[in-house]
Amino acid sequence: MKVALGADHGGVNLKEEIKKFLEAEGIEYEDFGCTCTDSVDYPDFALPVAEKVASGDFERGILICGTGIGMTIAANKVKGIRCALVHDCFSAKATREHNDSNILAMGERVIGPGLALEIVKIWLGTEFMGGRHQRRLEKIKMLEDNQ
Ligand code: RB5
């Protein structure tokens, strides 16, 4: 699995923690920035990650900002992206099983690194259930295609 990573200045520290975790787990990733805590605009980092996931170059993406909200809004503008804002373990599992989310967003100012890494582990390790959930995703795709 290849994971595309992105953050703004509000999420860059948690992104570094996630990189260490992915390295320890032997999971391939690419960091699309940002690289320091100077103020930047989160859509500039959400877009390349979302495009890489939507194109199939990367299977999954992880986006971090202060709240995770801006990244989620921006990433979900890209066709084919199902970006889930997650701050608990139950939702991490459910959004993979039910929504087949392909990008995980979190807020560095919302949760600590311990919980965030647990969420990453669950989210990366959970499969989509398909079945009735596939039918619902197809309805979302129809909404997207009709825009
Ligand atoms: C940046 O200050 C902050 O607005 C951003 O990281 C994020 O929380 C936006 O949703």
Side-chain angles (χ1 to χ4, degrees):
M1 182 188 295
K2 272 170 68 183
V3 181
L5 296 178
D8 73 355
H9 55 286
V12 68
N13 294 316
L14 180 54
K15 176 164 65 62
E16 291 308 307
E17 294 299 318
I18 293 170
K19 283 164 66 174
K20 283 187 224 159
F21 171 80
L22 295 176
E23 274 159 32
E25 295 286 314
I27 298 170
E28 203 180 331
Y29 69 83
E30 190 170 330
D31 184 355
F32 290 87
C34 68
T35 54
C36 69
T37 53
D38 294 347
S39 184
V40 293
D41 300 330
Y42 55 82
D44 296 338
F45 300 91
L47 188 65
V49 168
E51 284 178 336
K52 287 290 178 188
V53 173
S55 71
D57 287 349
F58 288 74
E59 271 179 86
R60 306 274 190 92
I62 299 176
L63 289 169
I64 314 293
C65 62
T67 60
I69 297 169
M71 286 295 197
T72 305
I73 294 169
N76 278 321
K77 298 291 179 195
V78 175
K79 199 170 175 175
I81 291 304
R82 294 176 301 279
C83 177
L85 176 61
V86 175
H87 290 127
D88 67 275
C89 295
F90 176 82
S91 303
K93 184 166 180 275
T95 191
R96 283 292 310 135
E97 288 182 341
H98 293 200
N99 314 122
D100 196 18
S101 52
N102 47 17
I103 296 186
L104 168 69
M106 293 183 290
E108 184 186 311
R109 297 172 186 159
V110 181
I111 51 172
L115 176 56
L117 295 183
E118 192 59 32
I119 287 168
V120 168
K121 190 175 178 180
I122 293 167
W123 187 76
L124 289 176
T126 305
E127 291 300 318
F128 177 49
M129 284 171 72
R132 68 187 188 279
H133 302 295
Q134 182 61 44
R135 184 178 70 238
R136 292 159 188 168
L137 294 193
E138 276 156 21
K139 290 189 178 184
I140 292 174
K141 189 175 179 308
M142 277 168 60
L143 294 175
E144 221 173 38
D145 291 344
N146 290 337
Q147 275 185 347

